[in-house]
Amino acid sequence: MPHTHPETELHNPQSAKPPLDPHLKALENEAIHIFREVAAEFERPVMLYSIGKDSSVLLHLARKAFYPGRVPFPLLHVDTGWKFREMIAFRDEMVEKYDLDLVVHTNPRGAAENVTPFTHGSALYTDIMKTEALRQALDAGQYDAAFGGARRDEEASRAKERIYSFRTPDHRWDPRNQRPELWNIYNGMVRKGESVRAFPLSNWTEVDIWRYIQAEEIPIVPLYFAKKRPIVERDGMMILAEDPRLEMLPGEAKREEVIRFRTLGCFPLTGAIRSNANTLDDIISELETATVSERQGRAIDRDQAGSMEKKKREGYF
Amino acid sequence: MTAPAIATAALDETAVALPVQEPARVARDSRPLRLITCGSVDDGKSTLIGRLLWDTKAVKEDQAASLERDSNGKQNDLGLPDFALLLDGLQAEREQGITIDVAYRYFSTDKRSFIVADTPGHEQYTRNMATGASTADLAVLLVDARVGLLEQTRRHATIATLMGIRQFVLAVNKIDLTNYDRSRFEQISHEFKELALSLGVRQVTAIPVSALKGENVVYDGRASMPWYEGPTLIEVLELATTRSAQTVGFRLPVQRVSRPGESFRGYQGTVAGGSVKPGDSVVILPSGMVANVTKIVTFDLVRNAAVAGDAITLVLDRQVDVSRGDTIAAIDSQPMTGLAFDAQLVALQPEGIQPGKRYWLKSGSRRQRVQVQPISQLDLNSGKWNHADELPMNAIGKVHLTFDEQAIFDAYEQNRTTGALILIDPDTNNTVAGGMITAKRAALSGIHTEDSRVILSLPADLADQLMATEIFANRREDAEVRRVTAARAIEIVDAIDE
């Protein structure tokens, strides 16, 4: 029987955009190729969804890769309980809008032992609420592949990460013994319990991410755009002061400033920047003249030299 | 749902504020150039890459600050941080003071963006160089101007050529330490051009460079070297071509079949060669069934055509059996199918490649069992192929591949995607070799026997043209082509005539 159906079924209504420039197109093609390859080769893939700008791009690419089908794997959000309020609202809106399957996991130990970034320090808090929580969630779902939005340009230890990054059953990464990765041929063979982290955005830079968000009109959390917001200054960082759980320490005072965020994580550990950039054009031109990297606002990177590599060996994303 | 307006609102405002006018930023119309850098620590490779990142402003202040913190204030003569620290990302490497693996760096200019595969130069790490070179469009070979070409330079150039790179840049570094000696530079670049030519590479640019001082890297070094009128390194990289055109017809290795509902069936994959448009007749391999293309579907729109590199979903006009691992190809320009092929391998793991062992082979989206028989191994110093029964780690060898089921390939020289493969050890699941298909082997041997074949000594350009033809690709077992200079060819003929 011939398969006939109206053209309109296939035509995406939001397609009146100019074509992507060849640079972004090449990055997009590569990412779609990786998404399809992982979805085809693994039994239980999952996409780690952090709600940030890179995750937004990742989600958009996943939708493109499987169109006209729906995204064939769930999104996993490791919720520390200390994310920005606007991130959670945005997450739920995306899930509804794009008909996604969402799994949210919070480490039960966090609630039981009342682990907070204030009481336990950023290193221990991150270890329990992010690294340990991620392992719990991956084990519970028996996922054999997890997509992540990491980029090689983010941090020195990531420059050598493969696109398929092999993990042992206890989620460890061995940087000295990675599988060679030639051409675009990916080795997806794993034993039971082993897994890979797959990074479709490996070759993207921060500017690429923003230019792609602009070109493709991808929705992102409004915290990336400058606005007058309540803040408090602590340890040299400007922290958003809207959550009632944030207690003022002696000598601290809330004030309002026009700020925005370059990266989003847990609000007590994420520093804002002073900026008036409230459009994508502004953000991109700010970035092109920026003299500091995006991870500068991340408290967890500064704990010790090689801290990101250590976290990654232990299973942090 | 009552969630606040999301950030698209900001986008819409932008659109209103700037109705037609494009922002001043010009969209770059080039694809990113992938390059590999070859050379040793002594040649100043880390300094060269660090200089590229620094002068294109790819290094940010906080990264530089953490560099200075980590190097305990150790700086080079010019007050710049120790670039090697910036590049050697892993703690283990810092402790040993060498890079041990492939790292990828990103930088860009107004004209183009670049992805650098940074690999170590020590001999035992052939595997890393092969990995980095597999995706590279161009190789930057680095030599110390005081030392000149080394055996290592020949090895690097040979590996780069085998992996399909046809554009070389020779960076003659530390030229400042020779007092900007022009004749020294010219002598080295002449020697290198001879070397490149003997490998069949004609696109060669030699540049006198001081990576430390930043001369002829991003900024020109005219003040010190008025005699040099050629381009800077970055200028060469900006003008280089990305992957040479794949010379074969349309290829789509099928990654997955999309069946979101009863009414739609599409074949998803990345075009690996040629182009396709609705109405084209295609063949599905290995089954050999024929169909016509009705639609090329992407998220954005139903397209009129797709070209190599595009990730697409193809819809055919009839119900045919197509599954992951199959190749959809142009009906009038099909790849080779068969049970026996010849390939060149780079052995990547300590176990090497064992004769007769059955491995998994993956090429495109197709994975199948293969038996591997090593034939010969390349001596990287002499360029000769010596008989070999097995291949140790880091060896480059010629092998016979024998399959249980039909395999589908193009020759690597004709298509760097459909001619490439990896071998996976079924015992460890590790990737143990990268390979390039040279030819299909006839089920019954041709006119040659194992060690007797016609040797053709030809000028490099003729050799290239001959080897690029399909007829030669299919008779690769019968003849071996050696690239020589015209002068050497005359000598050989003279010797025969005597």
Side-chain angles (χ1 to χ4, degrees), chain B residues 341-402:
Chain B
F341 284 85
D342 291 334
Q344 295 179 340
L345 291 188
V346 182
L348 304 169
Q349 300 295 348
E351 315 87 80
I353 294 299
Q354 305 299 324
K357 178 163 176 165
R358 282 161 57 80
Y359 293 92
W360 283 111
L361 178 144
K362 192 175 176 192
S363 173
S365 55
R366 188 173 179 82
R367 198 180 76 194
Q368 57 191 131
R369 286 291 192 151
V370 66
Q371 198 166 347
V372 182
Q373 189 59 53
I375 302 299
S376 60
Q377 182 182 341
L378 178 64
D379 179 338
L380 278 169
N381 294 326
S382 68
K384 288 204 175 72
W385 294 88
N386 301 320
H387 176 81
D389 292 322
E390 56 185 295
L391 300 174
M393 171 141 115
N394 287 314
I396 293 170
K398 291 185 179 175
V399 299
H400 289 169
L401 304 176
T402 313

Side-chain angles (χ1 to χ4, degrees), chain A residues 3-5 7 9-12 14-15 17 21-23 25-26 28-30 32-34 36-37 39-41 60 63-69 72 89-90 92-94 96-97 152-154 156-157 159-160 162 173 175-191 194 202-205 208 211 213-214 216-222 225 278-281 284-285 287-288 290-293 295-296 305-306 309-310 313, chain B residues 1 3-8 10-11 14 18 23 25 27-32 34 59-63 69-70 86-94 96 99-106 113 115 127 130-131 134-135 163 243 255-256 258-260 262-265 268-270 295 297-303 309-313 319 324 348-349 360 362-365 367 412 416-417 420-422 424 426-431 434-436:
Chain A
H3 294 136
T4 53
H5 49 79
E7 281 293 307
E9 264 184 39
L10 286 177
H11 196 84
N12 190 324
Q14 42 161 264
S15 68
K17 290 173 292 196
D21 82 59
H23 170 74
K25 188 76 200 165
E28 179 189 83
N29 281 328
E30 180 184 57
I32 289 175
H33 182 85
I34 294 161
R36 289 171 171 175
E37 197 63 13
E41 276 201 309
H60 185 75
R63 294 177 54 230
K64 281 196 155 187
F66 302 108
Y67 179 86
F90 179 87
D92 295 342
E93 191 179 338
M94 289 301 105
E96 166 118 9
K97 187 171 169 187
R152 287 179 181 144
D153 85 321
E154 272 179 89
S157 80
K160 305 193 176 192
R162 304 295 192 256
W173 179 63
R176 303 291 304 265
N177 195 23
Q178 300 193 75
R179 291 178 178 175
E181 206 162 67
L182 291 87
W183 299 287
N184 64 347
I185 312 175
Y186 305 108
N187 176 356
M189 296 190 68
V190 293
R191 292 202 178 86
E194 296 170 341
S202 287
N203 287 320
W204 297 52
T205 64
D208 294 330
R211 291 178 62 232
I213 287 171
Q214 182 174 48
E216 292 284 297
E217 300 172 14
I218 299 170
I220 51 170
V221 181
F225 295 100
N278 56 13
T279 66
L280 289 168
D281 272 333
I284 292 168
S285 56
L287 200 64
E288 284 173 341
T291 54
V292 293
S293 80
R295 297 209 73 87
Q296 194 238 2
E309 185 190 343
K310 228 174 228 130
R313 283 168 182 261
Chain B
M1 154 155 201
I6 48 172
T8 32
L11 274 164
T14 319
L18 299 164
R25 244 181 0 272
R28 285 164 294 189
D29 62 351
S30 288
R31 292 170 58 172
R34 290 173 176 259
V59 183
K60 303 296 187 191
E61 272 173 17
D62 56 322
Q63 293 166 325
R69 194 179 66 213
D70 290 355
L86 177 71
L87 305 181
D88 295 349
L90 301 180
Q91 281 183 329
E93 294 179 14
R94 288 196 190 180
Q96 291 186 10
T99 44
I100 52 169
D101 204 332
V102 188
Y104 295 89
R105 322 284 176 200
Y106 302 83
S113 58
I115 303 174
R127 51 172 264 173
T131 303
S134 69
T135 51
M163 302 303 291
R243 287 196 150 203
Q255 289 184 283
R256 64 193 292 278
S258 171
R259 291 217 66 173
E262 278 307 302
S263 64
F264 185 86
R265 188 183 182 92
Q268 302 190 313
T270 305
K295 270 196 204 77
V297 177
T298 69
F299 181 86
D300 301 291
L301 68 173
V302 175
R303 297 170 58 152
D310 287 344
I312 60 167
T313 301
Q319 207 162 16
R324 172 173 166 80
L348 304 169
Q349 300 295 348
W360 283 111
K362 192 175 176 192
S363 173
S365 55
R367 198 180 76 194
Y412 186 73
R416 279 179 78 178
T417 306
L421 60 98
I422 61 170
I424 299 165
D427 301 330
T428 62
N429 281 343
N430 205 348
T431 306
M436 290 78 68

Side-chain angles (χ1 to χ4, degrees), chain A:
Chain A
M1 195 184 83
H3 294 136
T4 53
H5 49 79
E7 281 293 307
T8 48
E9 264 184 39
L10 286 177
H11 196 84
N12 190 324
Q14 42 161 264
S15 68
K17 290 173 292 196
L20 278 176
D21 82 59
H23 170 74
L24 292 176
K25 188 76 200 165
L27 291 172
E28 179 189 83
N29 281 328
E30 180 184 57
I32 289 175
H33 182 85
I34 294 161
F35 265 117
R36 289 171 171 175
E37 197 63 13
V38 172
E41 276 201 309
F42 290 85
E43 281 173 27
R44 293 182 63 82
V46 67
M47 185 181 123
L48 302 188
Y49 182 61
S50 75
I51 321 173
K53 63 184 192 306
D54 302 293
S55 276
S56 290
V57 168
L58 204 58
L59 175 59
H60 185 75
L61 290 163
R63 294 177 54 230
K64 281 196 155 187
F66 302 108
Y67 179 86
R70 66 195 288 268
V71 176
F73 40 75
L75 272 56
L76 170 63
H77 178 224
V78 173
D79 191 352
T80 58
W82 294 89
K83 298 293 170 189
F84 292 88
R85 191 170 39 80
E86 281 175 87
M87 290 172 74
I88 302 300
F90 179 87
R91 176 194 74 191
D92 295 342
E93 191 179 338
M94 289 301 105
V95 167
E96 166 118 9
K97 187 171 169 187
Y98 297 135
D99 182 26
L100 305 165
D101 300 323
L102 175 73
V103 177
V104 178
H105 178 78
T106 304
N107 189 346
R109 190 176 146 197
E113 298 178 16
N114 198 23
V115 178
T116 76
F118 308 117
T119 52
H120 288 65
S122 73
L124 184 60
Y125 162 81
T126 301
D127 187 47
I128 296 170
M129 299 310 287
K130 291 169 114 174
T131 311
E132 187 178 299
L134 176 61
R135 277 192 236 147
Q136 289 169 347
L138 292 174
D139 287 341
Q142 293 182 307
Y143 302 115
D144 54 359
F147 293 102
R151 292 178 280 112
R152 287 179 181 144
D153 85 321
E154 272 179 89
E155 208 267 340
S157 80
R158 283 190 166 151
K160 305 193 176 192
E161 182 96 71
R162 304 295 192 256
I163 286 174
Y164 275 27
S165 185
F166 179 81
R167 302 299 157 108
T168 60
D170 58 351
H171 305 290
R172 280 173 190 274
W173 179 63
D174 180 0
R176 303 291 304 265
N177 195 23
Q178 300 193 75
R179 291 178 178 175
E181 206 162 67
L182 291 87
W183 299 287
N184 64 347
I185 312 175
Y186 305 108
N187 176 356
M189 296 190 68
V190 293
R191 292 202 178 86
K192 201 166 171 49
E194 296 170 341
S195 62
V196 304
R197 306 277 167 90
F199 300 114
L201 305 181
S202 287
N203 287 320
W204 297 52
T205 64
E206 191 184 8
V207 177
D208 294 330
I209 293 287
W210 283 111
R211 291 178 62 232
Y212 189 71
I213 287 171
Q214 182 174 48
E216 292 284 297
E217 300 172 14
I218 299 170
I220 51 170
V221 181
L223 290 164
Y224 285 110
F225 295 100
K227 199 179 135 183
K228 190 179 269 191
R229 296 185 171 98
I231 59 120
V232 61
E233 211 149 328
R234 181 176 293 178
D235 299 334
M237 290 196 307
M238 287 186 288
I239 296 171
L240 190 71
E242 61 170 18
D243 190 300
R245 292 174 296 178
L246 178 70
E247 288 169 20
M248 293 299 115
L249 301 176
E252 287 182 345
K254 264 190 224 184
R255 63 172 195 273
E256 297 227 314
E257 282 215 39
V258 178
I259 54 145
R260 67 178 202 89
F261 292 86
R262 265 178 93 178
T263 61
L264 294 177
C266 298
F267 77 83
L269 300 176
T270 308
I273 56 167
R274 282 190 187 84
S275 165
N276 293 312
N278 56 13
T279 66
L280 289 168
D281 272 333
D282 291 347
I283 289 174
I284 292 168
S285 56
E286 186 179 278
L287 200 64
E288 284 173 341
T289 53
T291 54
V292 293
S293 80
E294 66 194 301
R295 297 209 73 87
Q296 194 238 2
R298 293 287 187 108
I300 59 169
D301 287 2
R302 297 191 296 194
D303 293 347
Q304 49 193 308
S307 62
M308 180 61 90
E309 185 190 343
K310 228 174 228 130
K311 289 192 182 68
K312 284 182 46 164
R313 283 168 182 261
E314 289 156 10
Y316 177 71
F317 216 74

